Amino acid sequence: MYLSPTDLQNARNAALDHLQTASVVLIETAGKLAGLSLEASRRVLDEGQQQLDGLIAGGASGLEPPPLSRLVAWRSESAEQLREAIGIIGDAHQRMLEATREQVASFDQILMRQMDRAALSADPAGEVAIGHVRNTIRQAEAGFNELTDAAARGADLLEEQVRQVSEVLSSDRTAAD
């Protein structure tokens, strides 16, 4: 039982490809979240600039609280940004799960090939043991796939709940307008 140079190279390339995919996912996610944060920061700066302009113009003697309609709009905007952030994180989570699933599948494929090679020179008792190892590997991969599917469903449920909350907050905004 041995790994050929080609097997080693293929395993190494697959692992590097999956690592690169994970890195790209994280970089893209960080960029999207930074963009969302930048947008929120711009809104806050614009609001501050409006208040400062009002003070400079002498329109108000002090800082007055914003009207209720503006507070409702802020709440709605915040809920929408939270929904977007959860969506970005959820998408990244799904992509990372897929990359991990592919890496585990490629590793299991190498193990199965090694079992096939070992079976060629095994006695009957060894073949039975190898058969058990193959079944264990298949069951472990199926269990892993079930866990990743459950994690993906959990992320989808969280995104749906955040979307529903965001919609409720947005409907409050339209009711206040």
Side-chain angles (χ1 to χ4, degrees), residues 2-177:
Y2 65 92
L3 287 172
S4 70
T6 302
D7 290 338
L8 290 172
Q9 184 64 34
N10 290 341
R12 181 180 176 274
N13 288 341
L16 289 173
D17 287 346
H18 295 118
L19 182 59
Q20 180 181 10
T21 298
S23 296
V24 167
V25 167
L26 292 175
I27 290 168
E28 288 174 355
T29 301
K32 289 176 183 177
L33 289 173
L36 192 60
S37 179
L38 181 61
E39 181 183 331
S41 298
R42 281 189 194 128
R43 288 181 184 167
V44 169
L45 287 173
D46 288 345
E47 189 66 35
Q49 183 66 47
Q50 289 174 6
Q51 288 181 4
L52 181 61
D53 290 345
L55 285 172
I56 291 171
S61 59
L63 290 178
E64 296 176 8
L68 182 60
S69 62
R70 185 63 193 134
L71 292 174
V72 170
W74 284 341
R75 183 179 69 180
S76 178
E77 290 168 5
S78 295
E80 179 63 22
Q81 287 186 326
L82 177 61
R83 186 194 63 73
E84 286 181 48
I86 296 296
I88 290 168
I89 293 168
D91 290 345
H93 182 255
Q94 300 287 1
R95 292 171 63 195
M96 292 292 283
L97 285 174
E98 185 58 34
T100 303
R101 184 185 305 225
E102 289 174 9
Q103 178 57 44
V104 168
S106 66
F107 178 68
D108 288 349
Q109 184 180 23
I110 290 170
L111 287 175
M112 290 301 201
R113 265 193 261 132
Q114 290 304 102
M115 294 295 118
D116 290 343
R117 287 183 182 146
L120 293 175
S121 60
D123 60 13
E127 286 183 34
V128 170
I130 291 169
H132 289 299
V133 171
R134 283 185 184 144
N135 285 336
T136 301
I137 292 169
R138 286 186 192 107
Q139 289 171 355
E141 186 171 0
F144 176 77
N145 288 338
E146 288 175 21
L147 286 174
T148 57
D149 289 344
R153 286 190 303 274
D156 288 342
L157 288 173
L158 177 62
E159 284 184 62
E160 178 61 22
Q161 289 173 346
V162 169
R163 184 193 61 75
Q164 289 173 359
V165 168
S166 177
E167 285 177 0
V168 168
L169 292 174
S170 294
S171 67
D172 285 351
R173 175 183 180 188
T174 54
D177 291 343

